[in-house]
Amino acid sequence: MIIDKAEVIVTSPDRNFVTLKLTTDDGLSGLGDATLNGRELAVVAYLREHVVPLLIGRDASSIEDTWQFLYRSAYWRRGPVTMAAIAAVDVALWDIKAKAAGMPLYQLLGGASRTGLLAYGHASGKTNDEIFDSIRSHQEQGYKAIRVQSAVPGLNSIYGIASNATFEANKGVRYDHEPAQRGALPNEEDWDTRAYLRHIPTVFEAVRIEFGAELPLLHDAHHRLTPIQAARLGKSLEPYDLFWIEDLTPAENQEALRLVRQHTTSPLAIGEIFNTVWDYQLIIREQLIDYERSAVTHTGGITHLKKVLEFAAQYQIKSGMHGPTDISPVGMAAAMHLGLAIHNFGIQEYMMHGAKTDSVFEQSFTWNDGMLYAGDKPGIGVELDLDEAGRYPYVQAYLPYNRLADGTVHDW
């Protein structure tokens, strides 16, 4: 199987997506997700100008060799652009190999370790009543585990609140539950850590009173806290038995998590902005996290992320793969097949895409009663409708950013 065609497809149905399609000389094709939210065209250029010329004529079955070649031959290694590009190639090659074998991809990864994948959704609100309504709505959709995000009194707009979500410029149409704003400049949001730390424990107290002790609850601090602030939040949320607290503090400073661990037994999830195993070395080896959050799309594909998760398994750390709507259905399907195969699966983030996205990406995976099912179609089970994709050209979009009350730019 020789690669004789490589196409980089950019489409923006409900939001921007970058997809790599590889085709072999015997007519098999595979898809890979290369979407990097807010910086999509950087990966497009990397693929089109630097990677695609290297793929034509290569053996599509040599997945490990191709991965190592793309990673090592660039010399300038790692980083989100490089690793998203490599991930797209890697997943497309796995898709082709599984189609050639006539099997769903998870079978080539060792077969299923479970029947389905527990997934969590995103509930949020400006008030407790709004949050309660959002939780009930997610339960009606089948979710059995729910992330809870709350507005903070005195702050106008912060991450994760659907009713505060950015709208398409001049259209008033919600951007697929996506915080990225279509427009020439990023949206500015505000932040006050002390107000947040005072308010969030009261939210989870109210949610537990309303919904009881059994519902698995998650929360995302989105990298905004210092280590000691993170420790305080983790300790204050212990009475509410969270499934995890995500991204308490910027984890590039991995040693900071030692301090957090000293002060709280709340489970910690980290890694959605990590790209390689090198980002995880210390925090996995010292067991400073409980869930590994990387996405297949941003971490070098199935080949590399499987190795990271096998490393984590030695330390009883489980997967919690990133899965909002900036992961395309191609990336979501790849995560499902990997999640089915590994032993140390924990939970899968899952936000449902919009109708336009579903018309561009034809999916065979299914959602039922809180669980995701990858399906048994050969490959990853997703096909791209090129004609439909062509109806939605790229639209410039940026993620928001934060400023404190004094004007200082803060972590978003």
Side-chain angles (χ1 to χ4, degrees):
M1 298 188 297
I2 302 302
I3 301 169
D4 68 358
K5 188 176 182 181
E7 303 165 85
V8 181
I9 300 126
V10 183
T11 183
S12 190
D14 297 295
R15 49 143 298 115
N16 293 319
F17 296 109
V18 180
T19 307
L20 177 67
K21 182 178 182 180
L22 300 180
T23 305
T24 67
D25 56 356
D26 50 1
L28 291 175
S29 65
L31 300 176
D33 181 20
T35 306
L36 185 61
N37 202 0
R39 296 293 187 271
E40 297 91 351
L41 296 186
V43 190
V44 171
Y46 192 94
L47 282 168
R48 284 180 176 162
E49 305 300 325
H50 302 291
V51 174
V52 164
L54 302 175
L55 298 176
I56 305 303
R58 290 188 66 86
D59 181 358
S61 64
S62 298
I63 298 176
E64 179 71 26
D65 182 70
T66 298
W67 196 99
Q68 298 294 343
F69 169 66
L70 293 176
Y71 182 79
R72 297 178 188 280
S73 68
Y75 183 69
W76 307 107
R77 302 176 184 178
R78 305 164 64 185
V81 173
T82 294
M83 298 308 286
I86 293 175
V89 176
D90 184 75
V91 172
L93 293 179
W94 277 112
D95 193 17
I96 289 170
K97 186 181 279 283
K99 287 176 179 175
M103 296 179 179
L105 175 56
Y106 70 83
Q107 293 288 10
L108 293 189
L109 301 177
S113 294
R114 56 198 48 82
T115 56
L117 305 171
L118 176 67
Y120 71 91
H122 296 185
S124 65
K126 295 178 182 177
T127 66
N128 285 352
D129 285 341
E130 258 191 33
I131 292 169
F132 296 167
D133 289 343
S134 182
I135 291 173
R136 292 188 186 99
S137 175
H138 280 78
Q139 289 178 318
E140 289 168 2
Q141 295 172 58
Y143 285 101
K144 305 298 185 186
I146 298 174
R147 191 186 81 167
V148 175
Q149 303 297 124
S150 173
V152 174
L155 299 182
N156 293 320
S157 180
I158 66 172
Y159 165 80
I161 313 305
S163 53
N164 274 346
T166 307
F167 287 73
E168 289 188 39
N170 303 318
K171 295 182 182 178
V173 178
R174 192 168 301 287
Y175 190 17
D176 199 19
H177 311 289
E178 218 330 278
Q181 169 149 0
R182 298 184 175 199
L185 294 171
N187 194 44
E188 183 179 304
E189 297 182 344
D190 49 359
W191 184 249
D192 182 332
T193 299
R194 293 182 68 241
Y196 166 79
L197 290 174
R198 289 193 303 269
H199 183 64
I200 288 299
T202 70
V203 172
F204 279 93
E205 179 181 27
V207 170
R208 279 294 180 217
I209 291 171
E210 183 72 15
F211 292 93
E214 295 302 315
L215 179 64
L217 298 176
L218 304 86
H219 179 66
D220 184 1
H222 220 245
H223 315 282
R224 290 169 167 170
L225 309 180
T226 66
I228 198 65
Q229 291 167 347
R232 174 182 164 186
L233 180 65
K235 188 172 183 179
S236 69
L237 293 179
E238 283 179 11
Y240 312 114
D241 186 27
L242 268 62
F243 187 97
W244 79 35
I245 309 174
E246 178 184 346
D247 290 335
L248 274 166
T249 189
E252 297 97 315
N253 178 13
Q254 298 190 7
E255 294 179 357
L257 292 169
R258 293 172 179 160
L259 185 148
V260 180
R261 281 292 210 203
Q262 290 171 9
H263 291 280
T264 182
T265 58
S266 291
L268 306 181
I270 291 258
E272 71 179 49
I273 62 170
F274 285 175
N275 309 123
T276 71
V277 69
W278 306 106
D279 298 311
Y280 283 103
Q281 269 197 319
L282 186 146
I283 58 177
I284 286 178
R285 189 172 60 247
E286 295 194 12
Q287 302 177 70
L288 299 179
I289 59 172
D290 302 281
Y291 294 91
E292 188 270 15
R293 286 279 292 132
S294 284
V296 171
T297 298
H298 301 138
T299 317
I302 288 167
T303 295
H304 188 64
L305 187 53
K306 188 172 189 290
K307 293 173 183 177
V308 176
L309 290 169
E310 287 168 347
F311 174 39
Q314 299 176 57
Y315 299 92
Q316 297 175 291
I317 296 168
K318 295 185 177 183
S319 73
M321 283 179 263
H322 191 52
T325 50
D326 64 310
I327 304 298
S328 85
V330 173
M332 278 300 306
M336 290 179 210
H337 285 276
L338 181 57
L340 270 179
I342 60 173
H343 179 258
N344 58 324
F345 172 80
I347 198 168
Q348 175 64 54
E349 181 178 17
Y350 178 53
M351 292 181 72
M352 298 177 186
H353 288 101
K356 293 177 183 177
T357 297
D358 291 341
S359 72
V360 171
F361 297 94
E362 301 167 1
Q363 306 150 40
S364 65
F365 62 79
T366 56
W367 164 254
N368 184 47
D369 198 28
M371 305 284 281
L372 288 164
Y373 299 91
D376 289 321
K377 187 176 180 180
I380 62 171
V382 179
E383 300 295 336
L384 179 69
D385 186 327
L386 281 171
D387 291 337
E388 191 69 15
R391 295 180 55 202
Y392 306 107
Y394 169 82
V395 181
Q396 189 173 35
Y398 288 102
L399 289 168
Y401 70 102
N402 270 341
R403 286 191 189 274
L404 304 179
D406 68 357
T408 303
V409 174
H410 189 65
D411 291 314
W412 179 77

